[in-house]
Amino acid sequence: MAYGDRKSGRVDFERGIPVHMMGIDGTWRRDCRMIDVSQTGARLLIEGSLEGLDLKEFFLLLSSTGLAYRRCKLVRVAGDQIGVAFLAQDTFTIRKSAKKRSTGQAV
């Protein structure tokens, strides 16, 4: 799927918005710029190398304090730009709560 073939509308940022990528376990962090974003994903311009980073699943930190973030997975790599898909937040917590309800345990 090319960058132009999208399921949801995108907002483009002329200069890009400074954001950070961070490993799920917090062992790595990389500066990047968000080029565009939609409800389902974003395109990022990476500063530095991607070598050695686990990009199967990571956090995209949208604020300097880390209070605004999205959990992401890598969709495509094109030079110094990557496409990411946003993952459902708290999927594990939702499944765990549903399982407790089905077994009659208190949540």
Side-chain angles (χ1 to χ4, degrees), residues 6-79:
R6 298 187 176 114
K7 293 180 182 178
S8 59
R10 293 262 167 160
V11 175
D12 291 319
F13 302 108
E14 188 174 323
R15 295 187 177 120
I17 304 294
V19 293
H20 305 280
M21 297 167 42
M22 184 177 78
I24 294 292
D25 59 1
T27 58
W28 60 268
R29 185 173 168 141
R30 182 76 73 238
D31 293 334
C32 57
R33 296 186 88 63
M34 188 165 42
I35 304 299
D36 63 35
V37 66
S38 74
Q39 289 182 344
T40 59
R43 187 164 42 125
L44 308 174
L45 176 65
I46 307 302
E47 298 175 13
S49 172
L50 293 176
E51 189 173 335
L53 302 181
D54 182 10
L55 295 175
K56 291 177 195 163
E57 210 170 300
F58 61 93
F59 289 115
L60 181 62
L61 306 177
L62 303 170
S63 70
S64 59
T65 60
L67 295 176
Y69 64 91
R70 293 297 303 258
R71 196 170 189 143
C72 301
K73 71 175 183 175
L74 179 67
V75 177
R76 69 181 64 83
V77 177

